[in-house]
Amino acid sequence: MSRDMSDVTNDRDGGRAAARWNPMARAARCGEAFHAWWARRHGHAPPAHDTGDAPPLPEPTAIESVLWRMRTTVRDEPGVLAALCTALAERRIDILSLQTHPLGAHTVDEFLLRAPAGADLVAAVTAGGGMDTWAERADAHDLVDGPTRMLGLAARTATDAAELPLALRQLLGRCTIRSQPAGAATAGAVPPEGSLEDTVIRLRDPEGGVITVERPYLPFTPTEFARARALVELDARLGPRMPRGRDVLTLPEGGDISVRRADTADLEAARAMHERCSTETLRRRYHGPVGDASRYLSHLLSPRFGRTLAAQTASGRIVALGHLLWDGDETEVALIVEDAWQRRGVGAELLSRLVGMAVEAGCAHVYAVTQASNTGMVAAMRGLGLPLDYQVEEGTLVITARLTPAPAAHHTPEPGERVTRS
């Protein structure tokens, strides 16, 4: 009589062998257990906290982080940088980028960090052996690596000569940049290769003057000095240059006028406009002897000191000038409109575009120096729709506009594009 293989027993033990483990049955049970374990590991079974096997895991909590730029000085010895990085890691501070500036027996390490909100960076760096630590808040623009950032600044400088001061400021961080025009006082004041004195860099301006960069809170390194000098040398090799596009505007009462960038090549046309302006218009603009107004034009039109916009008629006659001037670490806006073209929206158009340039350049504020009787300038500043601050200094009204950090919603037309203003 045949039986199924799984039922075969030995009758000599009186049936007691039936209670013994059957090898094949044991293998089947082990297989079932293995499949159950495999299913649980791979998500096909309910989570453990649903079956009572284990308590639920806590939900991960988001930790607010802050970007920082930090610079510290360490001894130039093996293992010092590792100790500094370990001290930062122990406080959950993430190093996103690192640049080193050798200085003989010491090295200046410059970090881009992502740190938990409230983290004490100075304490962490001091524990790791850092000295003379400096830190400031960073933003997403600082995430660009060093070579890419340098190439971008060089491209901006190559496009427009007025970009050099801005490129230097972005390259060197928070600093004050001043340009001194060529003259007897600047002749031979700076060697051809420039000079570095702790917190001050002096470089020869390609136009013959001197560019001074000052950062009193943090000494410059030789690497920073070399980068700044390379930008100035690039500017010198490229010579005068400026974007040549123009924007044709239709004024509310009809007629067209164009707005374009201007520079020292427009000096004679600008002087001719000043000669057509009344004494009162010149006095409101320059706040001094009107006979000296033409002496300022060479400085105002130079791209080294800022940017200038000109409004001109179809015949090419300039009727208004708007200036955006780099005043150290501040930015000034100034307007002059020929008498016959005042109260027609020309000044407001120039001012709006100048403020847009200031926003793109990363300026936090712009200010205008005028008089309370200059209602046209006051109205133009109010028309910007920005928070304004008014101060009176020695009978002169200073209006400061706080700019938004993001670029303004200002359309920059293509060259020759017609824009209607109402």
Side-chain angles (χ1 to χ4, degrees):
M1 182 176 63
S2 64
R3 293 184 180 181
D4 186 270
M5 290 289 294
S6 62
D7 294 333
V8 174
T9 59
N10 191 337
D11 291 338
R12 287 181 301 172
D13 294 333
R16 288 177 297 173
R20 296 177 181 176
W21 286 356
N22 187 319
M24 298 193 68
R26 180 182 181 187
R29 287 193 296 270
C30 289
E32 292 174 359
F34 171 78
H35 285 298
W37 171 84
W38 178 266
R40 190 179 303 279
R41 283 290 304 270
H42 290 76
H44 301 296
H49 63 269
D50 288 345
T51 60
D53 294 339
L57 296 175
E59 293 292 333
T61 57
I63 300 176
E64 182 182 0
S65 61
V66 182
L67 289 176
W68 289 92
R69 289 178 59 216
M70 186 193 72
R71 181 175 293 196
T72 190
T73 303
V74 298
R75 301 186 313 277
D76 191 8
E77 298 176 0
V80 173
L81 179 58
L84 179 58
C85 295
T86 300
L88 294 173
E90 289 175 348
R91 291 163 174 80
R92 303 187 67 182
I93 299 173
D94 189 16
I95 300 174
L96 303 179
S97 69
L98 167 64
Q99 295 187 59
T100 60
H101 306 268
L103 296 175
H106 293 83
T107 298
V108 175
D109 292 332
E110 186 172 355
F111 295 89
L112 179 63
L113 304 172
R114 180 182 286 116
D120 191 341
L121 294 179
V122 176
V125 172
T126 302
M131 303 172 289
D132 299 327
T133 302
W134 163 88
E136 72 173 0
R137 292 287 291 270
D139 57 28
H141 296 90
D142 293 299
L143 294 173
V144 180
D145 69 284
T148 301
R149 188 178 186 187
M150 190 69 189
L151 288 172
L153 295 177
R156 287 180 53 181
T157 304
T159 303
D160 188 350
E163 290 287 337
L164 178 61
L166 301 175
L168 289 172
R169 183 178 296 177
Q170 291 196 10
L171 173 68
L172 302 173
R174 191 177 304 166
C175 59
T176 300
I177 300 176
R178 294 183 175 87
S179 295
Q180 187 176 0
T186 60
V190 177
E193 67 276 8
S195 64
L196 170 60
E197 300 174 5
D198 198 29
T199 60
V200 179
I201 291 177
R202 290 185 176 88
L203 298 166
R204 281 195 177 182
D205 193 317
E207 297 183 354
V210 174
I211 299 174
T212 302
V213 186
E214 187 173 1
R215 189 174 63 188
Y217 60 86
L218 189 65
F220 291 108
T221 66
T223 302
E224 289 177 313
F225 174 64
R227 292 171 179 171
R229 188 172 60 185
L231 274 180
V232 175
E233 290 177 353
L234 173 65
D235 180 83
R237 288 180 177 273
L238 294 175
R241 61 208 178 278
M242 181 183 62
R244 292 297 178 183
R246 67 179 59 203
D247 187 7
V248 181
L249 308 177
T250 301
L251 299 177
E253 72 276 10
D256 293 340
I257 195 169
S258 61
V259 176
R260 62 172 177 82
R261 288 283 300 278
D263 60 6
T264 50
D266 299 289
L267 184 58
E268 292 304 319
R271 284 175 175 165
M273 186 204 74
H274 278 65
E275 292 175 357
R276 296 190 300 269
C277 291
S278 66
T279 301
E280 180 63 18
T281 294
L282 295 175
R283 185 182 63 81
R284 287 179 175 177
R285 168 61 185 90
Y286 295 104
H287 319 289
V290 296
D292 297 337
S294 61
R295 295 194 300 109
Y296 307 140
L297 287 176
S298 180
H299 171 91
L300 293 173
L301 293 172
S302 171
R304 186 64 70 242
F305 303 102
R307 299 177 183 173
T308 299
L309 291 178
Q312 67 179 37
T313 63
S315 63
R317 188 177 72 176
I318 292 179
V319 298
L321 290 172
H323 304 286
L324 186 69
L325 303 172
W326 316 131
D327 181 15
D329 54 356
E330 297 183 340
T331 307
E332 180 184 1
V333 289
L335 298 172
I336 182 170
V337 181
E338 188 177 328
D339 294 62
W341 289 84
Q342 293 177 10
R343 310 291 180 179
R344 299 171 69 175
V346 177
E349 178 65 33
L350 293 182
L351 181 62
S352 174
R353 291 167 180 266
L354 293 172
V355 169
M357 290 180 176
V359 172
E360 292 174 357
C363 302
H365 303 82
V366 295
Y367 72 91
V369 181
T370 185
Q371 299 171 350
S373 59
N374 190 355
T375 56
M377 186 64 179
V378 174
M381 292 293 288
R382 289 178 176 174
L384 294 172
L386 298 172
L388 300 179
D389 176 68
Y390 302 84
Q391 293 182 350
V392 178
E393 299 179 1
E394 299 179 356
T396 300
L397 177 63
V398 179
I399 307 175
T400 302
R402 186 169 70 249
L403 307 182
T404 55
H410 178 78
H411 170 61
T412 303
E414 297 296 327
E417 180 180 347
R418 181 180 299 273
V419 180
T420 301
R421 301 294 185 214
S422 58

